[in-house]
Amino acid sequence: MQFRVDRQLGFLATVNIAVLVGGGVLVGASFLDIYNLQSMASQVPELGLLALGVMLAMMSGNGGIDLSGIALANLSGVFAYIVVRDHVSADDTPLLFSWAFAGVALLVGLAGGMLNGLLVARAGLTPIIATLGTQLFFTGLAVALTNGSAVSLGYVEPLDNFGNTPMLGVPQCFALFLAVALVLGVVLRFSPFGLRLRLLGSNAKAARFAGIPEKRILFLTYTACGVLASVAGIVIAARSSSVKWDYGSSYVLIAILIAVMAGVRPEGGYGRVICVVLSATALQMLSSLFNFMDISNFFRDLAWGVLLLAFLAQSQFDPRAWFKALRR
Amino acid sequence: MTDMTSPATAPAPLDKPSAARIWHWLLRHPPVFTLIMIVLVCAVVGSINPDFWQVANLFDILRASTVRGLFALGVLVVLASGGIDVSFTAIAAFVMYSITMLVTNWMPDMPMPVILVLAAAGGACFGALNGLLIHSLRAPSLIVTIGTQYVIRSFLLTFVGTALFMNIPVSMESFGKLALFTHHSANGTISVLPASVLVLAVAAVLTWWILQRTLIGRAVYAVGGNPGIAERLGYNLRVVHVFVFAYAGLLAGIAGIMHVSSNRLANPFDLAGTELEIIAAVVLGGARITGGSGSVIGTMLGVVLITLVSNVLILVGIPSTWQLAIVGVFIVLAGAVFSLRPKR
């Protein structure tokens, strides 16, 4: 089980370097200076964490997908703030406030993920319907709790530092993202859970006959998705110093795009954490490049849509087979 | 899972077989379940607030059901074939906005039938593109249509325009004002049932006819039930995929025109985000998201149920901010009940 550099990984690394070089050429040195790199890195985690959730759900197979990610992220931020502000003062004890906020948010994510897990694994709902319903439900709860408006957290120093201040040159939230990705990667690669998840995703029937506890695996997977979403919710709250129900309305698409770009198979059974990380950084750098070049948000959405379709097409297309056919 | 009901009814041994039988019969006939929910909602809302039983309110619900119903019929056909479509609202927005623009700026006296045919053709082209992509990329239709949804919508907003059309063409405006039935209530308010309801009725009958009486309808259910077996039986998967998405696009194009003529306004930002409640309506009507089932009657009932839930909450004093959460609960509940159905 050594570290493999497959086609997808090599391709994504090339894309990352190409976007960096392209940015340097098109925008100039300001694209490559440490401030811009840090600002780009601090924007990666929210989408990266949601994409990791989508990857887990897709890996479990049987049309697995998590559409409720960003809704749950927003709900955990909203719910945590509303609970914590009544009990802990953000001005007197900012550190306690931050930890309490993060703790409650994680609990909401855990509960939301378990709800998804119960619906998919126990009640036998199709993942699309289950997460579509909970997406509306989570969003609706967040709307109802905030009466539909954004709520400002104010300046809470530890939380703000976590979102915006680099430590040893690395933004703290980006470091957290890398740590989460590392843990998830190790779990998927080396633990029995990871092996079973991949088996279940590639052939559910065979996995059932091999005695793999299908329901428990599915439940754990969707619960993990929920926890990842709530971590994204904490990062969003820390970075924007506010919580609202409609933050990141196009994140459902972009999270799926990152996962598909990373070579995660939508039919299940395959996905690599490192590829998702690289795919998230590539997309973020591309988005920043669009920003530098003053490209409108609408056009950016167009580009994401085209990219998603292009990567779906690319996964169907095997250059080696094509070359072989050409030589014949 | 269905066995869970027998211990619950065990204390009354005489009732046990009939209760279980009713439960099983209900699971086999999901539209009845939807109808019961509609009756329950009506009874509860009507007893809390008698204003509910006014003709004006009934007309409002029918009017609000028209655009949703047209979308839902398209989604029904796609779901029956085992796919899912989330791009139809983007198609509708694109078609309604560009046709309004075309007619206003270049051919202000285009008659309504021509506009409808143009919209249907435009929508069908986008839909056929969806079908071709899904077939040739061999990717899940949810992911492909999320992609095309973004492409179509942001193409509209980037290259076609973002400004509202406040003055829509005369033919569309007069169509929107066309009344099928006008009711004068005792206190002098006049409520109108618009003629666009007829368009929905025609579309519903046509969809029923296609699904139940034609070969392509059989093919849609067969492919939805099991694509591998359907292909070996000689059904052409590509034809079916292109047909269902083109049909959904066609209905979406017409729905877009209905939306403009009843609102007397063409807004390119409209309709986005309503796709989930439409899919919810079709699922509430008993269509399996995994394909091979679903009926026009059930879908229409599902649309009425969703419209009821989103229109009447205010009448019983629930703030409209709770609407999304309640629709979400309805989807999950319906999904859970229908997943208890016997698997074929």
Side-chain angles (χ1 to χ4, degrees):
Chain A
M1 282 263 204
Q2 77 276 31
F3 188 81
R4 288 169 296 123
V5 178
D6 55 8
R7 187 160 73 92
Q8 197 71 32
L9 185 56
F11 169 74
L12 285 168
T14 320
V15 169
N16 270 290
I17 295 167
V19 175
L20 269 180
V21 172
V25 173
L26 286 172
V27 179
S30 63
F31 190 76
L32 295 174
D33 68 14
I34 184 76
Y35 295 110
N36 189 45
L37 289 181
Q38 280 173 347
S39 119
M40 288 195 293
S42 62
Q43 288 173 55
V44 170
E46 32 194 89
L47 270 168
L49 288 163
L50 292 174
L52 286 176
V54 171
M55 179 196 81
L56 279 179
M58 277 186 178
M59 278 176 77
S60 69
N62 191 23
I65 196 155
D66 186 3
L67 300 172
S68 68
I70 182 64
L72 185 54
N74 288 334
L75 176 65
S76 10
V78 165
F79 190 85
Y81 179 64
I82 284 177
V83 169
V84 174
R85 74 168 170 201
D86 293 340
H87 299 285
V88 184
S89 156
D91 298 324
D92 303 338
T93 49
L95 195 65
L96 182 66
F97 176 86
S98 306
W99 282 109
F101 178 83
V104 175
L106 281 175
L107 283 181
V108 174
L110 187 69
M114 281 163 75
L115 177 64
N116 276 336
L118 280 178
L119 289 175
V120 173
R122 298 285 160 182
L125 265 73
T126 331
I128 294 180
I129 281 296
T131 56
L132 192 148
T134 52
Q135 178 196 25
L136 287 178
F137 179 64
F138 296 150
T139 311
L141 275 187
V143 173
L145 287 172
T146 58
N147 276 326
S149 51
V151 186
S152 172
L153 261 62
Y155 179 72
V156 186
E157 203 188 342
L159 209 56
D160 196 76
N161 278 348
F162 168 69
N164 299 315
T165 313
M167 187 186 270
L168 302 173
V170 182
Q172 294 173 36
C173 57
F174 187 66
L176 177 77
F177 169 59
L178 289 184
V180 170
L182 186 69
V183 170
L184 192 65
V186 168
V187 166
L188 285 182
R189 175 64 76 86
F190 298 108
S191 75
F193 169 78
L195 185 66
R196 287 169 172 176
L197 178 63
R198 266 174 285 147
L199 272 179
L200 180 67
S202 38
N203 192 334
K205 201 176 265 178
R208 206 172 302 137
F209 284 121
I212 286 175
E214 188 185 1
K215 290 184 175 171
R216 199 192 313 159
I217 300 275
L218 280 177
F219 178 74
L220 283 176
T221 306
Y222 282 90
T223 306
C225 291
V227 174
L228 286 170
S230 64
V231 180
I234 298 169
V235 173
I236 289 170
R239 276 181 26 78
S240 60
S241 301
S242 69
V243 286
K244 56 178 180 171
W245 64 275
D246 61 348
Y247 183 90
S249 51
S250 56
Y251 277 18
V252 176
L253 165 86
I254 301 177
I256 293 175
L257 169 61
I258 292 175
V260 170
M261 233 166 89
V264 178
R265 280 226 308 272
E267 312 85 55
Y270 177 79
R272 284 188 82 182
V273 171
I274 174 128
C275 288
V276 173
V277 173
L278 283 179
S279 146
T281 54
L283 209 70
Q284 183 53 54
M285 290 194 294
L286 204 58
S287 175
S288 305
L289 185 58
F290 284 168
N291 253 348
F292 271 99
M293 296 168 68
D294 269 339
I295 286 173
S296 82
N297 276 336
F298 300 134
F299 186 81
R300 199 178 311 184
D301 279 350
L302 180 67
W304 297 156
V306 170
L307 264 184
L308 177 63
L309 294 176
F311 275 96
L312 283 175
Q314 176 258 344
S315 67
Q316 284 302 313
F317 173 79
D318 183 4
R320 255 171 285 171
W322 192 68
F323 275 122
K324 256 180 214 162
L326 207 66
R327 242 180 270 157
R328 228 171 261 158
Chain B
M1 292 294 275
T2 41
D3 292 338
M4 283 168 60
T5 52
S6 16
T9 47
L14 262 178
D15 284 332
K16 182 186 162 192
S18 64
R21 213 177 299 151
I22 291 174
W23 178 241
H24 279 276
W25 186 81
L26 269 184
L27 288 180
R28 270 172 223 285
H29 297 84
V32 180
F33 200 82
T34 321
L35 190 63
I36 294 175
M37 281 164 87
I38 291 177
V39 172
L40 274 180
V41 171
C42 286
V44 170
V45 174
S47 63
I48 295 177
N49 188 342
D51 282 349
F52 175 74
W53 301 113
Q54 281 179 358
V55 178
N57 194 37
L58 177 76
F59 283 2
D60 267 349
I61 288 172
L62 279 177
R63 191 203 315 257
S65 297
T66 307
V67 174
R68 281 205 186 102
L70 284 169
F71 281 140
L73 288 169
V75 171
L76 164 71
V77 175
V78 174
L79 282 188
S81 81
I84 191 167
D85 186 359
V86 292
S87 68
F88 55 89
T89 51
I91 294 178
F94 192 104
V95 167
M96 75 174 187
Y97 189 77
S98 17
I99 286 187
T100 312
M101 189 181 223
L102 176 84
V103 176
T104 314
N105 292 349
W106 289 287
M107 321 171 190
D109 41 35
M110 189 188 271
M112 193 63 189
V114 181
I115 293 180
L116 280 180
V117 169
L118 254 184
C125 286
F126 277 120
L129 191 70
N130 267 338
L132 278 177
L133 277 173
I134 286 159
H135 187 80
S136 54
L137 298 182
R138 281 186 215 99
S141 45
L142 174 69
I143 297 177
V144 173
T145 52
I146 287 181
T148 52
Q149 177 200 2
Y150 272 78
V151 171
I152 294 171
R153 204 172 110 77
S154 29
F155 189 88
L156 169 69
L157 296 176
T158 320
F159 296 112
V160 183
T162 51
L164 302 187
F165 273 96
M166 306 293 274
N167 299 313
I168 64 165
V170 185
S171 52
M172 282 157 93
E173 190 169 355
S174 53
F175 179 82
K177 282 181 183 157
L178 210 59
L180 190 64
F181 186 78
T182 312
H183 176 84
H184 300 269
S185 70
N187 56 13
T189 50
I190 301 168
S191 36
V192 176
L193 184 66
S196 53
V197 174
L198 273 186
V199 176
L200 175 62
V202 171
V205 171
L206 178 69
T207 311
W208 173 84
W209 182 75
I210 290 177
L211 284 178
Q212 301 298 333
R213 291 285 181 271
T214 64
L215 245 140
I216 188 80
R218 293 286 90 199
V220 166
Y221 281 121
V223 170
N226 189 326
I229 292 177
E231 192 170 25
R232 269 175 238 176
L233 285 175
Y235 289 118
N236 185 337
L237 289 191
R238 190 162 99 162
V239 170
V240 172
H241 282 147
V242 171
F243 171 78
V244 293
F245 284 95
Y247 188 69
L250 182 148
L251 288 181
I254 295 176
I257 298 297
M258 293 298 126
H259 181 78
V260 172
S261 50
S262 68
N263 284 11
R264 284 161 215 159
L265 174 82
N267 179 356
F269 294 94
D270 265 4
L271 298 174
T274 58
E275 55 272 348
L276 296 184
E277 63 174 40
I278 309 283
I279 296 172
V282 182
V283 172
L284 281 174
R288 274 175 217 266
I289 202 141
T290 45
S293 72
S295 64
V296 170
I297 298 282
T299 302
M300 292 293 102
L301 290 174
V303 168
V304 170
L305 183 56
I306 287 281
T307 311
L308 263 181
V309 170
S310 45
N311 278 31
V312 302
L313 286 181
I314 305 208
L315 286 181
V316 291
I318 300 175
S320 59
T321 45
W322 281 96
Q323 181 193 323
L324 267 184
I326 290 176
V327 173
V329 170
F330 265 66
I331 300 181
V332 170
L333 280 183
V337 168
F338 293 148
S339 76
L340 297 178
R341 267 185 288 175
K343 299 239 158 51
R344 285 152 309 153

